[in-house]
Amino acid sequence: MGDAASAMTTSVVGFDSAWTDNPKAPGAICVIRLDAHGARLHMEPRLASFSEAAALIHAERLEVNKCVVALDQPTIVPNLSGSRPVDKVAGALISWAGGGVQPANRSKLGMFDDAAPIWRFKHAIGAFEDPDAARTASTGLFLIEVFPALALVAIDSAYCRRLGAPKYNPANRRMFQLDHLHSVAETIRAFGTRNGLEHLELWCSTAAANLTPTKADQDKIDAMICALVGLHWLVAPREQSVMIGDLVNGYMIAPALSGVHERLAIAARKRNVRIR
């Protein structure tokens, strides 16, 4: 790597995969670059399939010392049916706030069966899946699982109340509220500023000014949330983030600005799920 690469030591790639590899409904991806001078939005969210995301990640890896991929999709799914323990724990808070957690199990064809694109993607990028190592290592390619819905409840107190979760998915016409999407854009801006992220203002302003958003716009917002959770995991004090679950049965990384929410803690104890 040359001087340009050494000046851009870390990439955080936020990828909202959309779970299936549907050409008509791809996911979205964005990139934050971080070096000694700070963090900045390097690539604004754009639509991307699994293969396009893998190619972008390989390109990023050549440019930087360390690359952390923050993925909005379960990455460890050993259970044949039902939900993972971590999904149940997250659901205790998300359901209370009025959101939902889609169960992950190996019987979901196209999502988590043996031929599902997530496993090809993981093999293609060859990332090391160890969130603690992603924080402390100076080099390497790492993958962490994140969950935008959980992150939003954790970083904005307005959402962390009974039925307070934002309804910002335009595809759900019955529930969608335009002002909620604009509120999420402002939450992203504030959270990015908290973590020292530059070049985010214009993108958030554009998202907040969009009067006719589509599902693709929401996917781009979720990709940005993924990247911000990854950045927060790397740069904020460790006690301001939480890892729920483990690397055997599944896990999630999320912000925890005010500590672990009581509903998460109670649900984790009931199910003997590690939370730290």
Side-chain angles (χ1 to χ4, degrees):
M1 291 186 293
D3 292 340
S6 62
M8 302 178 185
T9 55
T10 299
S11 280
V12 181
V13 178
F15 182 32
D16 172 24
S17 67
W19 290 31
T20 61
D21 213 6
N22 181 353
K24 295 182 179 180
I29 196 166
C30 65
V31 179
I32 292 170
R33 287 269 182 96
L34 175 66
D35 61 22
H37 301 291
R40 62 206 154 276
L41 181 57
H42 177 71
M43 188 191 82
E44 293 186 353
R46 63 178 65 168
L47 298 182
S49 65
F50 276 99
S51 60
E52 290 167 340
L56 185 147
I57 290 163
H58 282 303
E60 277 299 301
R61 184 67 191 94
L62 296 175
E63 293 284 327
V64 299
N65 301 85
K66 181 168 76 172
C67 182
V68 177
V69 180
L71 174 65
D72 176 19
Q73 178 167 357
T75 61
I76 297 173
V77 186
N79 49 304
L80 296 179
S81 61
S83 298
R84 303 178 302 165
V86 64
D87 299 331
K88 292 184 172 70
V89 173
L93 178 57
I94 297 300
S95 298
W96 170 77
V101 179
Q102 187 172 174
N105 62 65
R106 296 303 286 258
S107 70
K108 290 197 168 224
L109 298 180
M111 292 184 182
F112 301 109
D113 61 289
D114 289 347
I118 180 61
W119 313 130
R120 295 196 302 273
F121 171 77
K122 285 184 66 174
H123 179 75
I125 65 172
F128 188 39
E129 194 157 9
D130 183 333
D132 290 319
R135 273 180 56 85
T136 59
S138 57
T139 62
L141 175 60
F142 299 89
L143 175 67
I144 62 173
E145 178 186 332
V146 300
F147 186 21
L150 181 60
L152 286 173
V153 172
I155 64 181
D156 193 329
S157 59
Y159 304 146
C160 192
R161 55 184 173 82
R162 177 68 176 151
L163 303 180
K167 310 301 183 186
Y168 67 107
N169 180 359
N172 188 340
R173 295 183 180 181
R174 186 176 66 85
M175 300 292 290
F176 174 70
Q177 296 188 44
L178 181 61
D179 61 324
H180 285 200
L181 185 143
H182 295 166
S183 169
V184 169
E186 170 56 24
T187 295
I188 288 172
R189 187 202 61 76
F191 188 52
T193 299
R194 179 181 182 131
N195 286 288
L197 181 61
E198 299 177 353
H199 303 166
L200 181 64
E201 293 272 352
L202 180 59
W203 184 83
C204 288
S205 296
T206 302
N210 188 351
L211 300 180
T212 56
T214 64
K215 180 64 172 69
D217 294 312
Q218 190 233 344
D219 292 337
K220 293 175 183 178
I221 286 174
D222 280 352
M224 193 70 247
I225 296 172
C226 289
L228 285 169
V229 173
L231 176 65
H232 183 77
W233 177 251
L234 296 183
V235 305
R238 176 61 179 85
E239 62 269 17
Q240 291 185 13
S241 294
V242 65
M243 177 174 173
I244 310 167
D246 56 59
L247 297 174
V248 175
N249 300 298
Y251 71 97
M252 292 176 188
I253 299 298
L257 302 184
S258 303
V260 177
H261 192 282
E262 182 181 9
R263 289 179 183 273
L264 291 178
I266 292 172
R269 285 197 299 270
K270 285 172 62 175
R271 294 169 175 82
N272 198 29
V273 173
R274 190 180 186 193
I275 187 167
R276 60 186 179 88

